[in-house]
Amino acid sequence: MLTEEERRDIEREILQNERKRAAAVEVLKIVQKHRGWVSDEIHDLAGILEMTPAELDAVATFYSLIFRKPVGKHVILVCDSVSCWVMGYEKILDQLTSRLGIGLNETSADGQFTLLPVACLGACDRAPAMMIDEMLYTYLTPEKIDGILEKYR
Ligand code: FES
């Protein structure tokens, strides 16, 4: 069930598009902004967007920045694509998993962090890269990870 505020934001977004379904990704982002993730209530949105639940589900699943399961307060997206891989992805991942005590696709016991793999963040020339919430971190080294995580604790 959408809240009044969610409904208002969604209607505003839909009005900016010629076809309702073109607003699908932005509408999913609105729901995620309010709730932290997008549950199966997504099916209620399908009607508003003139899509079938399966179509909207496919959009949500394809778009890796839409979270279909509950996530922690901060989401760490660590790039595992080619440039980052070559420039030290594995060492960055090792440092993250050891500091957070979780593996990829897991959330820390205190609910602070979720660690997710992501395809290219568009910062290949500054690899390796990761994003925490909306903030992009580049030229990563294992030594930089502790200081970065400290900002979110
Ligand atoms: S490959 Fe990692 S940012 Fe492009």
Side-chain angles (χ1 to χ4, degrees):
M1 190 74 168
L2 295 169
T3 65
E4 232 3 84
E5 194 182 0
E6 286 170 332
R7 193 170 288 281
R8 203 176 39 244
D9 290 352
I10 287 169
E11 281 167 7
R12 194 176 307 132
E13 184 60 42
I14 286 175
L15 281 175
Q16 293 178 34
N17 292 273
E18 218 163 280
R19 296 178 67 209
K20 290 184 176 182
R21 60 175 49 224
V25 170
E26 292 308 315
V27 165
L28 291 167
K29 284 187 191 171
I30 288 168
V31 172
Q32 182 162 286
K33 190 178 116 208
H34 286 279
R35 303 174 183 210
W37 65 293
V38 179
S39 73
D40 281 344
E41 288 183 44
I42 192 177
H43 298 153
D44 297 341
L45 294 172
I48 297 171
L49 291 164
E50 297 177 349
M51 299 171 81
T52 66
E55 286 173 329
L56 187 56
D57 208 38
V59 171
T61 305
F62 176 78
Y63 194 66
S64 62
L65 298 183
I66 298 296
F67 309 131
R68 299 304 312 282
K69 290 195 287 190
V71 290
K73 186 171 174 203
H74 302 291
V75 176
I76 303 174
L77 299 167
V78 58
C79 174
D80 62 2
S81 292
V82 176
S83 297
C84 289
W85 187 276
V86 169
M87 296 302 288
Y89 157 82
E90 281 177 304
K91 285 185 181 152
I92 299 304
L93 182 63
D94 282 351
Q95 189 72 8
L96 284 167
T97 56
S98 120
R99 285 296 179 254
L100 298 171
I102 55 174
L104 280 174
N105 299 305
E106 292 179 354
T107 297
S108 57
D110 61 4
Q112 277 293 106
F113 296 102
T114 296
L115 183 60
L116 298 174
V118 71
C120 187
L121 288 165
C124 316
D125 56 331
R126 291 165 285 152
M130 70 177 182
M131 188 176 265
I132 303 183
D133 304 332
E134 308 277 300
M135 179 67 83
L136 179 67
Y137 294 94
T138 58
Y139 298 117
L140 291 173
T141 62
E143 295 72 29
K144 288 182 181 173
I145 296 296
D146 287 9
I148 293 171
L149 292 179
E150 212 43 56
K151 297 182 199 172
Y152 296 89
R153 291 194 190 274

